[in-house]
Amino acid sequence: HLLAAMHVAGVLGELDPAVFVLDSLPNMNQEQVIERAEPFIKSLRDARPRTPIVCVESITNQSEPFQKPGANGRSTKNLRLREAYTRLLKAGVKGLHYIKGEKLLGDAERDNLGTVDGVHPTDLGFSRMANVIGRVVKPLMG
């Protein structure tokens, strides 16, 4: 529920991290992204006006090439997050950053080593994700 998400945002806003990394799409459906992403990010921004916020898309599921487009909802959720991010930027919210999901696991089509089942990352998949996210986060940490 939105109320629970806003409570979490309030608790996180009490912290003083160098950067917030939001990677919640795998555990949300499209309606939840529409309902929660923008108010959640606004709440964090209000609580911590200078702390960078990094929004991370869902990874590309390695089974996607074998599914009908949009069958798993990942691309739609990513689109909804991107729309919220764009609206926030247009509203003048500062310190937002965005990471697309396509290359989080490396070249998934080439080696299929990034996940154990096409969805859940292996140690190698997490390492690849950390490298991509780290390239964005490291310069933000000051």
Side-chain angles (χ1 to χ4, degrees), residues 30-135:
Q30 172 182 235
E31 291 75 26
Q32 292 168 329
V33 177
I34 293 168
E35 175 189 55
R36 300 174 189 175
E38 200 167 337
F40 188 92
I41 295 167
K42 281 183 184 177
S43 179
L44 281 181
R45 176 51 61 236
D46 290 345
R48 294 289 172 188
R50 293 186 303 278
T51 304
I53 299 172
V54 178
C55 301
V56 181
E57 286 186 355
S58 285
I59 61 172
T60 299
N61 294 350
Q62 292 175 308
S63 59
E64 270 185 62
F66 308 104
Q67 298 176 338
K68 292 180 183 177
N72 65 24
R74 183 208 59 87
S75 58
T76 305
K77 293 188 296 185
N78 287 346
L79 175 62
R80 298 299 170 244
L81 180 63
R82 200 171 315 125
E83 290 169 347
Y85 171 80
T86 301
R87 281 192 302 274
L88 290 163
L89 289 178
K90 286 182 180 178
V93 177
K94 304 287 185 207
L96 299 182
H97 306 271
Y98 198 86
I99 299 174
K100 291 188 175 188
E102 287 91 4
K103 295 298 180 182
L104 282 172
L105 292 177
D107 190 359
E109 290 78 26
R110 182 175 49 86
D111 66 21
N112 284 328
L113 298 175
T115 71
V116 68
D117 57 2
V119 178
H120 298 92
T122 60
D123 290 348
L124 177 61
F126 279 120
S127 177
R128 290 174 175 176
M129 291 171 67
N131 287 333
V132 172
I133 294 169
R135 285 193 296 271

